[in-house]
Amino acid sequence: MTLIFDDLIEMMRFCKGDFDRERILAYVHERNTVTLHLLLSSTTRALLGMLGNLIRNFAMRVVKTQEKVRHSSRTNDIRDSVELQHMEAMMGPELPFDIRLFEQLVAETDGNVRATYQAAQSSPPQRSFYEQGMLVDADIPEALSPVLQKLFGDIMPRLENQIDGVAIYTADTAWLGLGEDEEANKRAGRQQYDVLRKCAIPPNAKVRQCRRCGSVIENLVDGHMAAWVQNAHKMCICLSHWIVA
Ligand SMILES: [Zn+2]
Ligand SMILES: [Zn+2]
């Protein structure tokens, strides 16, 4: 989400009021950025919308759970509380924007793309042709030109006012492996993430791997993990079993 806002703000600056499709396309290809296509292509846009919604709901649940365990004196609760506090900060004050702004970005773009397709009276086969062009050739269909104008001329300027621009600019997104920095991308390729706890696994830690989907988790010793992790650890998120790698 941070990377998407960062890229869009830069593109908006680059536009300087000129929303010519070819010019923006040339910029996107030169920078090799995937952000605009993630938003314009219907499949990835739907996924972004779901993701924003999931994360916001998760963040709200973290706050509620934290309220429950905060005053408890049980050892497990105290340990959970520390971890929850950390997560609460990560999805709240430490984010350069309110997650709702991200959802707004996706929803408004979605409304615009739909309205634009409708106004152009493009048939379903035509739309699927446009969508394929975006996915396969990184094209932006001429038909979506009005969306570019709306996105960079109206939606983003409005949202930017409510975003901490400096924090966005300085946020580290190289670990995503989507940038141009080769060293950072190599590092990103080596890094493994715990599919249950959604955190980075330290370099030399033992891992367990799912034999169906290939996801990994850190092979934690019983008793050294929060209660919810202990429960969740029994199975992979795809409901298959782990093997110790
Ligand atoms: Zn889950
Ligand atoms: Zn799995």
Side-chain angles (χ1 to χ4, degrees):
M1 294 192 272
T2 304
L3 177 75
I4 288 175
F5 271 132
D6 189 16
D7 278 358
L8 289 180
I9 289 173
E10 265 188 56
M11 276 184 233
M12 179 182 72
R13 298 251 159 81
F14 163 81
C15 284
K16 290 202 188 88
D18 176 359
F19 308 110
D20 180 59
R21 169 183 154 269
E22 306 245 336
R23 195 167 155 260
I24 293 175
L25 202 50
Y27 174 90
V28 165
H29 289 169
E30 190 209 304
R31 292 293 184 98
N32 210 5
T33 159
V34 73
T35 302
L36 187 55
H37 283 88
L38 285 178
L39 269 178
L40 292 182
S41 158
S42 295
T43 318
T44 47
R45 189 174 60 251
L47 282 173
L48 287 180
M50 277 161 51
L51 209 64
N53 184 274
L54 264 175
I55 294 176
R56 183 167 51 82
N57 280 305
F58 181 66
M60 287 192 311
R61 201 172 290 184
V62 166
V63 175
K64 276 198 193 131
T65 316
Q66 159 73 356
E67 275 162 13
K68 255 185 237 157
V69 294
R70 192 170 37 198
H71 300 298
S72 165
S73 54
R74 289 174 50 211
T75 331
N76 278 352
D77 285 349
I78 294 169
R79 192 172 47 198
D80 285 359
S81 175
V82 172
E83 218 174 298
L84 287 168
Q85 245 170 39
H86 181 70
M87 284 156 83
E88 197 178 330
M90 197 171 71
M91 291 181 287
E94 283 172 22
L95 263 192
F97 52 86
D98 189 316
I99 295 172
R100 275 170 304 187
L101 288 180
F102 181 79
E103 290 186 277
Q104 198 182 331
L105 168 72
V106 177
E108 285 199 31
T109 311
D110 191 58
N112 265 286
V113 172
R114 283 168 196 272
T116 306
Y117 274 152
Q118 211 147 40
Q121 294 187 313
S122 38
S123 62
Q126 245 167 344
R127 285 184 205 191
S128 98
F129 178 74
Y130 293 150
E131 296 285 332
Q132 275 176 33
M134 284 193 272
L135 284 174
V136 179
D137 303 320
D139 187 23
I140 297 173
E142 182 80 59
L144 288 184
S145 285
V147 178
L148 295 177
Q149 167 125 21
K150 192 86 179 147
L151 178 62
F152 294 119
D154 174 35
I155 301 175
M156 273 313 292
R158 252 187 299 121
L159 295 182
E160 194 204 5
N161 287 331
Q162 305 165 67
I163 292 173
D164 182 346
V166 179
I168 288 264
Y169 183 75
T170 52
D172 176 22
T173 49
W175 59 273
L176 285 166
L178 292 173
E180 293 285 83
D181 181 348
E182 262 178 56
E183 260 318 299
N185 289 347
K186 259 190 222 157
R187 245 180 289 130
R190 278 195 296 268
Q191 179 63 56
Q192 290 184 306
Y193 293 92
D194 188 304
V195 72
L196 291 174
R197 294 183 300 144
K198 313 294 184 210
C199 60
I201 299 177
N204 291 317
K206 277 217 173 95
V207 297
R208 283 192 240 172
Q209 186 164 38
C210 170
R211 59 177 184 181
R212 174 153 67 186
C213 73
S215 298
V216 290
I217 54 169
E218 189 176 346
N219 192 15
L220 295 168
V221 187
D222 283 353
H224 288 272
M225 46 182 140
W228 72 270
V229 179
Q230 212 157 355
N231 276 325
H233 251 195
K234 287 170 191 153
M235 265 184 206
C236 175
I237 50 167
C238 79
L239 302 181
S240 187
H241 298 282
W242 304 109
I243 42 174
V244 179

